[in-house]
PDB file of all heavy atoms in Angstrom:
ATOM      1  N   THR A   1      -6.973   3.814 -13.775  1.00 96.00           N
ATOM      2  CA  THR A   1      -7.521   2.719 -12.933  1.00 96.00           C
ATOM      3  C   THR A   1      -6.907   2.823 -11.482  1.00 96.00           C
ATOM      4  O   THR A   1      -5.711   2.988 -11.441  1.00 96.00           O
ATOM      5  CB  THR A   1      -7.314   1.364 -13.477  1.00 96.00           C
ATOM      6  OG1 THR A   1      -7.745   1.311 -14.859  1.00 96.00           O
ATOM      7  CG2 THR A   1      -7.991   0.262 -12.760  1.00 96.00           C
ATOM      8  N   ILE A   2      -7.967   2.695 -10.518  1.00 97.00           N
ATOM      9  CA  ILE A   2      -7.363   2.615  -9.146  1.00 97.00           C
ATOM     10  C   ILE A   2      -7.954   1.262  -8.580  1.00 97.00           C
ATOM     11  O   ILE A   2      -9.210   1.108  -8.595  1.00 97.00           O
ATOM     12  CB  ILE A   2      -7.702   3.764  -8.242  1.00 97.00           C
ATOM     13  CG1 ILE A   2      -7.063   4.973  -8.870  1.00 97.00           C
ATOM     14  CG2 ILE A   2      -7.389   3.429  -6.780  1.00 97.00           C
ATOM     15  CD1 ILE A   2      -7.408   6.304  -7.974  1.00 97.00           C
ATOM     16  N   ALA A   3      -7.184   0.181  -8.353  1.00 96.00           N
ATOM     17  CA  ALA A   3      -7.574  -1.011  -7.859  1.00 96.00           C
ATOM     18  C   ALA A   3      -7.121  -1.177  -6.401  1.00 96.00           C
ATOM     19  O   ALA A   3      -6.389  -0.366  -5.937  1.00 96.00           O
ATOM     20  CB  ALA A   3      -7.034  -2.116  -8.781  1.00 96.00           C
ATOM     21  N   PRO A   4      -7.621  -2.246  -5.712  1.00 94.00           N
ATOM     22  CA  PRO A   4      -7.243  -2.343  -4.299  1.00 94.00           C
ATOM     23  C   PRO A   4      -5.838  -2.431  -3.967  1.00 94.00           C
ATOM     24  O   PRO A   4      -5.333  -2.095  -2.977  1.00 94.00           O
ATOM     25  CB  PRO A   4      -7.905  -3.609  -3.782  1.00 94.00           C
ATOM     26  CG  PRO A   4      -9.074  -3.762  -4.790  1.00 94.00           C
ATOM     27  CD  PRO A   4      -8.617  -3.257  -6.129  1.00 94.00           C
ATOM     28  N   ASP A   5      -4.862  -2.867  -4.905  1.00 94.00           N
ATOM     29  CA  ASP A   5      -3.412  -2.994  -4.766  1.00 94.00           C
ATOM     30  C   ASP A   5      -2.592  -2.365  -5.732  1.00 94.00           C
ATOM     31  O   ASP A   5      -1.393  -2.568  -5.745  1.00 94.00           O
ATOM     32  CB  ASP A   5      -3.218  -4.499  -4.745  1.00 94.00           C
ATOM     33  CG  ASP A   5      -3.506  -5.258  -5.937  1.00 94.00           C
ATOM     34  OD1 ASP A   5      -4.214  -4.697  -6.807  1.00 94.00           O
ATOM     35  OD2 ASP A   5      -3.027  -6.385  -6.190  1.00 94.00           O
ATOM     36  N   HIS A   6      -3.130  -1.561  -6.682  1.00 96.00           N
ATOM     37  CA  HIS A   6      -2.330  -0.811  -7.579  1.00 96.00           C
ATOM     38  C   HIS A   6      -3.057   0.400  -8.320  1.00 96.00           C
ATOM     39  O   HIS A   6      -4.251   0.388  -8.214  1.00 96.00           O
ATOM     40  CB  HIS A   6      -1.792  -1.824  -8.715  1.00 96.00           C
ATOM     41  CG  HIS A   6      -2.859  -2.364  -9.580  1.00 96.00           C
ATOM     42  ND1 HIS A   6      -3.681  -3.491  -9.299  1.00 96.00           N
ATOM     43  CD2 HIS A   6      -3.314  -2.054 -10.764  1.00 96.00           C
ATOM     44  CE1 HIS A   6      -4.474  -3.731 -10.258  1.00 96.00           C
ATOM     45  NE2 HIS A   6      -4.293  -2.800 -11.185  1.00 96.00           N
ATOM     46  N   ILE A   7      -2.318   1.100  -8.968  1.00 97.00           N
ATOM     47  CA  ILE A   7      -2.803   2.264  -9.847  1.00 97.00           C
ATOM     48  C   ILE A   7      -2.283   2.128 -11.122  1.00 97.00           C
ATOM     49  O   ILE A   7      -1.008   1.843 -11.393  1.00 97.00           O
ATOM     50  CB  ILE A   7      -2.508   3.560  -9.143  1.00 97.00           C
ATOM     51  CG1 ILE A   7      -3.192   3.855  -7.860  1.00 97.00           C
ATOM     52  CG2 ILE A   7      -2.699   4.754 -10.257  1.00 97.00           C
ATOM     53  CD1 ILE A   7      -2.811   5.196  -7.161  1.00 97.00           C
ATOM     54  N   VAL A   8      -3.148   2.260 -12.166  1.00 97.00           N
ATOM     55  CA  VAL A   8      -2.625   2.330 -13.527  1.00 97.00           C
ATOM     56  C   VAL A   8      -2.585   3.689 -14.124  1.00 97.00           C
ATOM     57  O   VAL A   8      -3.692   4.400 -13.982  1.00 97.00           O
ATOM     58  CB  VAL A   8      -3.576   1.338 -14.490  1.00 97.00           C
ATOM     59  CG1 VAL A   8      -3.068   1.410 -15.848  1.00 97.00           C
ATOM     60  CG2 VAL A   8      -3.638  -0.054 -13.896  1.00 97.00           C
ATOM     61  N   MET A   9      -1.478   3.988 -14.623  1.00 96.00           N
ATOM     62  CA  MET A   9      -1.241   5.412 -15.231  1.00 96.00           C
ATOM     63  C   MET A   9      -1.066   5.155 -16.682  1.00 96.00           C
ATOM     64  O   MET A   9      -0.308   4.235 -17.203  1.00 96.00           O
ATOM     65  CB  MET A   9      -0.123   6.026 -14.599  1.00 96.00           C
ATOM     66  CG  MET A   9      -0.295   6.258 -13.144  1.00 96.00           C
ATOM     67  SD  MET A   9       1.280   6.771 -12.283  1.00 96.00           S
ATOM     68  CE  MET A   9       2.002   7.933 -13.332  1.00 96.00           C
ATOM     69  N   SER A  10      -1.685   6.108 -17.591  1.00 96.00           N
ATOM     70  CA  SER A  10      -1.533   5.998 -19.025  1.00 96.00           C
ATOM     71  C   SER A  10      -1.066   7.217 -19.530  1.00 96.00           C
ATOM     72  O   SER A  10      -1.484   8.274 -19.312  1.00 96.00           O
ATOM     73  CB  SER A  10      -2.965   5.653 -19.594  1.00 96.00           C
ATOM     74  OG  SER A  10      -3.486   4.457 -19.112  1.00 96.00           O
ATOM     75  N   HIS A  11      -0.137   7.080 -20.560  1.00 94.00           N
ATOM     76  CA  HIS A  11       0.344   8.200 -21.349  1.00 94.00           C
ATOM     77  C   HIS A  11       0.570   7.796 -22.704  1.00 94.00           C
ATOM     78  O   HIS A  11       1.459   6.976 -23.131  1.00 94.00           O
ATOM     79  CB  HIS A  11       1.757   8.665 -20.733  1.00 94.00           C
ATOM     80  CG  HIS A  11       2.408   9.730 -21.498  1.00 94.00           C
ATOM     81  ND1 HIS A  11       2.024  11.075 -21.435  1.00 94.00           N
ATOM     82  CD2 HIS A  11       3.488   9.806 -22.223  1.00 94.00           C
ATOM     83  CE1 HIS A  11       2.714  11.932 -22.241  1.00 94.00           C
ATOM     84  NE2 HIS A  11       3.708  11.108 -22.774  1.00 94.00           N
ATOM     85  N   GLY A  12      -0.439   8.310 -23.542  1.00 92.00           N
ATOM     86  CA  GLY A  12      -0.436   7.753 -24.896  1.00 92.00           C
ATOM     87  C   GLY A  12      -0.595   6.306 -25.037  1.00 92.00           C
ATOM     88  O   GLY A  12      -1.549   5.720 -24.396  1.00 92.00           O
ATOM     89  N   THR A  13       0.275   5.502 -25.651  1.00 94.00           N
ATOM     90  CA  THR A  13       0.072   4.122 -25.743  1.00 94.00           C
ATOM     91  C   THR A  13       0.917   3.416 -24.610  1.00 94.00           C
ATOM     92  O   THR A  13       0.950   2.170 -24.654  1.00 94.00           O
ATOM     93  CB  THR A  13       0.666   3.668 -27.067  1.00 94.00           C
ATOM     94  OG1 THR A  13       2.102   4.023 -27.243  1.00 94.00           O
ATOM     95  CG2 THR A  13      -0.242   4.244 -28.301  1.00 94.00           C
ATOM     96  N   THR A  14       1.542   4.227 -23.678  1.00 95.00           N
ATOM     97  CA  THR A  14       2.283   3.573 -22.617  1.00 95.00           C
ATOM     98  C   THR A  14       1.417   3.428 -21.331  1.00 95.00           C
ATOM     99  O   THR A  14       0.756   4.473 -21.143  1.00 95.00           O
ATOM    100  CB  THR A  14       3.373   4.447 -22.294  1.00 95.00           C
ATOM    101  OG1 THR A  14       4.319   4.542 -23.492  1.00 95.00           O
ATOM    102  CG2 THR A  14       4.378   3.820 -21.237  1.00 95.00           C
ATOM    103  N   THR A  15       1.578   2.396 -20.674  1.00 96.00           N
ATOM    104  CA  THR A  15       0.771   2.059 -19.462  1.00 96.00           C
ATOM    105  C   THR A  15       1.745   1.637 -18.341  1.00 96.00           C
ATOM    106  O   THR A  15       2.708   0.895 -18.603  1.00 96.00           O
ATOM    107  CB  THR A  15      -0.314   0.940 -19.621  1.00 96.00           C
ATOM    108  OG1 THR A  15      -1.154   1.301 -20.605  1.00 96.00           O
ATOM    109  CG2 THR A  15      -0.916   0.678 -18.395  1.00 96.00           C
ATOM    110  N   THR A  16       1.647   2.391 -17.240  1.00 94.00           N
ATOM    111  CA  THR A  16       2.527   2.098 -16.062  1.00 94.00           C
ATOM    112  C   THR A  16       1.627   1.608 -15.001  1.00 94.00           C
ATOM    113  O   THR A  16       0.621   2.292 -14.706  1.00 94.00           O
ATOM    114  CB  THR A  16       3.302   3.258 -15.694  1.00 94.00           C
ATOM    115  OG1 THR A  16       4.173   3.704 -16.811  1.00 94.00           O
ATOM    116  CG2 THR A  16       4.225   2.970 -14.535  1.00 94.00           C
ATOM    117  N   VAL A  17       2.014   0.600 -14.258  1.00 96.00           N
ATOM    118  CA  VAL A  17       1.357  -0.008 -13.169  1.00 96.00           C
ATOM    119  C   VAL A  17       2.151   0.390 -11.903  1.00 96.00           C
ATOM    120  O   VAL A  17       3.259   0.078 -11.795  1.00 96.00           O
ATOM    121  CB  VAL A  17       1.132  -1.395 -13.130  1.00 96.00           C
ATOM    122  CG1 VAL A  17       0.363  -1.979 -11.961  1.00 96.00           C
ATOM    123  CG2 VAL A  17       0.259  -1.780 -14.396  1.00 96.00           C
ATOM    124  N   LEU A  18       1.652   1.197 -11.022  1.00 94.00           N
ATOM    125  CA  LEU A  18       2.218   1.588  -9.703  1.00 94.00           C
ATOM    126  C   LEU A  18       1.621   0.724  -8.661  1.00 94.00           C
ATOM    127  O   LEU A  18       0.437   0.710  -8.318  1.00 94.00           O
ATOM    128  CB  LEU A  18       1.827   3.000  -9.484  1.00 94.00           C
ATOM    129  CG  LEU A  18       2.552   3.701  -8.355  1.00 94.00           C
ATOM    130  CD1 LEU A  18       4.134   3.779  -8.723  1.00 94.00           C
ATOM    131  CD2 LEU A  18       2.130   5.121  -8.301  1.00 94.00           C
ATOM    132  N   THR A  19       2.577  -0.200  -7.975  1.00 93.00           N
ATOM    133  CA  THR A  19       2.136  -1.033  -6.812  1.00 93.00           C
ATOM    134  C   THR A  19       2.885  -0.576  -5.577  1.00 93.00           C
ATOM    135  O   THR A  19       3.732   0.268  -5.614  1.00 93.00           O
ATOM    136  CB  THR A  19       2.569  -2.410  -7.109  1.00 93.00           C
ATOM    137  OG1 THR A  19       4.048  -2.438  -7.301  1.00 93.00           O
ATOM    138  CG2 THR A  19       1.932  -3.097  -8.463  1.00 93.00           C
ATOM    139  N   PHE A  20       2.423  -1.117  -4.447  1.00 90.00           N
ATOM    140  CA  PHE A  20       2.933  -0.842  -3.191  1.00 90.00           C
ATOM    141  C   PHE A  20       4.355  -1.359  -3.169  1.00 90.00           C
ATOM    142  O   PHE A  20       4.658  -2.318  -3.660  1.00 90.00           O
ATOM    143  CB  PHE A  20       2.182  -1.335  -2.012  1.00 90.00           C
ATOM    144  CG  PHE A  20       0.816  -0.921  -1.907  1.00 90.00           C
ATOM    145  CD1 PHE A  20      -0.353  -1.523  -2.269  1.00 90.00           C
ATOM    146  CD2 PHE A  20       0.743   0.357  -1.243  1.00 90.00           C
ATOM    147  CE1 PHE A  20      -1.624  -1.048  -2.101  1.00 90.00           C
ATOM    148  CE2 PHE A  20      -0.639   0.882  -1.053  1.00 90.00           C
ATOM    149  CZ  PHE A  20      -1.754   0.255  -1.433  1.00 90.00           C
ATOM    150  N   PRO A  21       5.191  -0.437  -2.550  1.00 85.00           N
ATOM    151  CA  PRO A  21       6.693  -0.913  -2.468  1.00 85.00           C
ATOM    152  C   PRO A  21       6.914  -2.062  -1.533  1.00 85.00           C
ATOM    153  O   PRO A  21       6.140  -2.166  -0.652  1.00 85.00           O
ATOM    154  CB  PRO A  21       7.379   0.410  -1.963  1.00 85.00           C
ATOM    155  CG  PRO A  21       6.327   1.207  -1.275  1.00 85.00           C
ATOM    156  CD  PRO A  21       5.038   0.916  -2.004  1.00 85.00           C
ATOM    157  N   ASP A  22       7.855  -2.831  -1.829  1.00 76.00           N
ATOM    158  CA  ASP A  22       8.392  -3.886  -0.902  1.00 76.00           C
ATOM    159  C   ASP A  22       9.209  -3.234  -0.023  1.00 76.00           C
ATOM    160  O   ASP A  22      10.405  -3.249  -0.272  1.00 76.00           O
ATOM    161  CB  ASP A  22       8.871  -5.093  -1.761  1.00 76.00           C
ATOM    162  CG  ASP A  22       9.335  -6.253  -0.994  1.00 76.00           C
ATOM    163  OD1 ASP A  22       9.217  -6.112   0.374  1.00 76.00           O
ATOM    164  OD2 ASP A  22       9.916  -7.247  -1.478  1.00 76.00           O
ATOM    165  N   THR A  23       8.876  -2.883   1.160  1.00 61.00           N
ATOM    166  CA  THR A  23       9.668  -2.142   2.095  1.00 61.00           C
ATOM    167  C   THR A  23      10.689  -3.092   2.896  1.00 61.00           C
ATOM    168  O   THR A  23      11.675  -2.601   3.346  1.00 61.00           O
ATOM    169  CB  THR A  23       8.833  -1.370   3.229  1.00 61.00           C
ATOM    170  OG1 THR A  23       8.016  -2.272   3.826  1.00 61.00           O
ATOM    171  CG2 THR A  23       8.023  -0.393   2.618  1.00 61.00           C
ATOM    172  N   LYS A  24      10.459  -4.315   2.741  1.00 62.00           N
ATOM    173  CA  LYS A  24      11.420  -5.382   3.287  1.00 62.00           C
ATOM    174  C   LYS A  24      12.649  -5.414   2.501  1.00 62.00           C
ATOM    175  O   LYS A  24      13.710  -5.640   2.982  1.00 62.00           O
ATOM    176  CB  LYS A  24      10.737  -6.660   3.511  1.00 62.00           C
ATOM    177  CG  LYS A  24       9.685  -6.813   4.449  1.00 62.00           C
ATOM    178  CD  LYS A  24       8.931  -8.102   4.615  1.00 62.00           C
ATOM    179  CE  LYS A  24       7.767  -8.004   5.614  1.00 62.00           C
ATOM    180  NZ  LYS A  24       7.054  -9.336   5.715  1.00 62.00           N
ATOM    181  N   ASN A  25      12.498  -5.193   1.159  1.00 59.00           N
ATOM    182  CA  ASN A  25      13.676  -5.339   0.306  1.00 59.00           C
ATOM    183  C   ASN A  25      14.086  -3.962  -0.228  1.00 59.00           C
ATOM    184  O   ASN A  25      15.055  -3.883  -1.081  1.00 59.00           O
ATOM    185  CB  ASN A  25      13.302  -6.224  -0.867  1.00 59.00           C
ATOM    186  CG  ASN A  25      13.059  -7.678  -0.473  1.00 59.00           C
ATOM    187  OD1 ASN A  25      13.782  -8.164   0.452  1.00 59.00           O
ATOM    188  ND2 ASN A  25      12.170  -8.312  -1.092  1.00 59.00           N
TER     189      ASN A  25
END
């Protein structure tokens, strides 16, 4: 999935959500 503020990656039964980094922190 590619949404306006994140990407979802799937590997088998594992799902990872990749969001924009908080560059301030």
Side-chain angles (χ1 to χ4, degrees):
T1 304
I2 298 180
D5 62 347
H6 67 276
I7 290 178
V8 178
M9 299 170 37
S10 302
H11 177 71
T13 59
T14 303
T15 300
T16 302
V17 178
L18 191 58
T19 58
F20 290 106
D22 180 359
T23 57
K24 292 179 183 176
N25 294 324

